[in-house]
Amino acid sequence: MDRYVCGPCGYVYDPKVGDPDGGIAPGTPFEKLPDDWVCPVCGATKDLFEKEE
């Protein structure tokens, strides 16, 4: 599963970890995150994330 980086703040969404504070279970791929999910650090929307190279 790919990791995604938040453009504005650099937070890395790692599907192996998920976003426990946001109710996202470990093992959840970025593509399966709810449309209204936002970066837990800066609040950026999913469209501001890019796949980590």
Side-chain angles (χ1 to χ4, degrees):
M1 287 186 280
D2 294 316
R3 294 169 22 133
Y4 282 76
V5 180
C6 178
C9 78
Y11 166 82
V12 177
Y13 176 77
D14 185 345
K16 293 177 187 167
V17 177
D19 177 15
D21 293 340
I24 305 299
T28 304
F30 186 81
E31 296 81 2
K32 298 284 185 183
L33 292 173
D35 289 337
D36 61 350
W37 182 84
V38 295
C39 175
V41 175
C42 73
T45 55
K46 283 176 61 178
D47 62 320
L48 296 176
F49 279 71
E50 293 187 12
K51 188 187 300 187
E52 187 176 63
E53 296 294 323

